[in-house]
Amino acid sequence: MRRKIVAGNWKMNLTKSEALSLYNNISSAENLAADVEKMIFAPLLFLDALKQNESGLIKIGAQNFYSEAAGAFTGEVSFSQLKDLGIRYVLVGHSERRVIFKEEDELVKAKVNAAINAGLKVIFCCGESLEIRETGTHISFVVNQLKNNVFQLPEEAFGQIVIAYEPIWAIGTGKTATPEQAEEMHEQIRLAVAQHYSNYLAEQTPILYGGSCNAGNAKELFAKPNIDGGLIGGASLKTADFIQIINSF
Ligand code: PGA
């Protein structure tokens, strides 16, 4: 059985007190599915406070970091500073980082390598734009992202990776991929992992869906054989919705 994971990506939202109370509300819910791994990717600024408040039920992760351990990188936070706070999970390759902050494959790959070498667990995001989907090359595009960003890892290190497929046209748009569209891509991602590494590793690797996943559509998405959970943006900011998504398997 593969791990089931629901991760919230709070993005650049909430004040510190809102973040702490949302975290506490979710983690104190009585009916959270026990067999689902639960994570919150919070703004860097609140990680220390959240970490001190961590319940164990819901892990805290970082949305971003830089690939160098320390040095003259004004405004950045390093993977070793995250580790020092006790953070164990990081997002890498999110399309908002790629598109808005111009993170290219080379940097994404360096971040993946730095995080894995530091012993952090990576949720690696991939996904195509609408233009690419319309040309029909979305599968090879996403497989190339895997090749360029994560397939350099040795087999054992790749075992620390969780993949999140997030079609850019579905993120924050209210336009979810259909369960069939998502399943098709997840199946192809798993096949690419099998071809590059092994069937065993492909079977073990959790592949999450992200992009307007919400309390209303999570059940249908998570029912697909290759969808192992979700990376949830907007709907992770509402306690009841996020709990319902966690309980959607
Ligand atoms: P969304 O964001 O659920 O708001 O579409 C998902 C994500 O960007 O991780």
Side-chain angles (χ1 to χ4, degrees):
M1 270 292 272
R2 269 194 300 276
R3 295 153 63 199
K4 297 178 203 152
I5 301 171
V6 171
N9 175 10
W10 286 352
K11 308 193 180 184
M12 197 177 71
N13 292 300
L14 308 171
T15 62
K16 183 177 171 185
S17 63
E18 286 167 348
L20 286 168
S21 73
L22 179 57
Y23 181 82
N24 288 336
N25 289 342
I26 296 164
S27 55
S28 62
E30 275 165 20
N31 55 344
L32 288 183
D35 62 340
V36 177
E37 283 179 54
K38 301 164 271 290
M39 302 168 194
I40 296 285
F41 290 87
L44 295 173
L45 197 56
F46 309 146
L47 290 180
D48 196 14
L50 284 165
K51 198 63 202 171
Q52 288 177 36
N53 211 39
E54 196 176 25
S55 73
L57 280 179
I58 303 185
K59 303 192 175 91
I60 312 281
Q63 296 171 20
N64 190 33
F65 62 95
Y66 192 53
S67 55
E68 297 291 330
F73 303 100
T74 302
E76 291 296 311
V77 162
S78 80
F79 57 86
S80 32
Q81 291 170 322
L82 295 176
K83 268 196 90 171
D84 181 54
L85 290 189
I87 299 297
R88 292 288 170 269
Y89 296 86
V90 287
L91 282 185
V92 183
H94 193 283
S95 62
E96 285 151 19
R97 301 291 325 164
R98 293 180 192 262
V99 175
I100 304 169
F101 300 103
K102 311 282 181 264
E103 290 193 8
E104 305 285 351
D105 280 343
E106 204 181 329
L107 178 57
V108 174
K109 181 176 168 176
K111 287 174 144 194
V112 167
N113 291 343
I116 293 290
N117 289 336
L120 296 170
K121 295 182 192 303
V122 169
I123 300 211
F124 169 72
C125 306
C126 54
E128 81 288 356
S129 64
L130 187 59
E131 289 83 343
I132 288 168
R133 180 158 281 263
E134 282 172 348
T135 64
T137 56
H138 46 288
I139 288 170
S140 61
F141 179 85
V142 169
V143 170
N144 273 327
Q145 285 185 317
L146 295 171
K147 287 183 182 158
N148 294 335
N149 301 162
V150 286
F151 279 0
Q152 74 281 0
L153 294 170
E155 186 155 341
E156 203 186 302
F158 189 84
Q160 302 304 311
I161 296 272
V162 170
I163 296 172
Y165 168 58
E166 299 204 307
I168 297 173
W169 45 272
I171 295 178
T173 58
K175 193 176 173 210
T176 327
T178 65
E180 291 68 34
Q181 284 172 320
E183 171 64 14
E184 179 197 31
M185 184 64 84
H186 284 224
E187 196 178 0
Q188 293 300 317
I189 291 171
R190 205 175 298 290
L191 183 65
V193 175
Q195 285 169 348
H196 188 77
Y197 293 104
S198 64
N199 284 331
Y200 174 77
L201 208 49
E203 274 310 308
Q204 295 294 311
T205 304
I207 308 178
L208 315 183
Y209 169 78
S212 298
C213 182
N214 59 39
N217 59 31
K219 209 182 183 94
E220 224 189 325
L221 286 159
F222 297 176
K224 291 291 180 193
N226 285 294
I227 301 183
D228 306 310
L231 180 56
I232 318 298
S236 71
L237 295 167
K238 296 175 211 133
T239 307
D241 291 32
F242 193 57
I243 291 171
Q244 202 180 322
I245 296 170
I246 291 168
N247 293 341
S248 287
F249 290 91

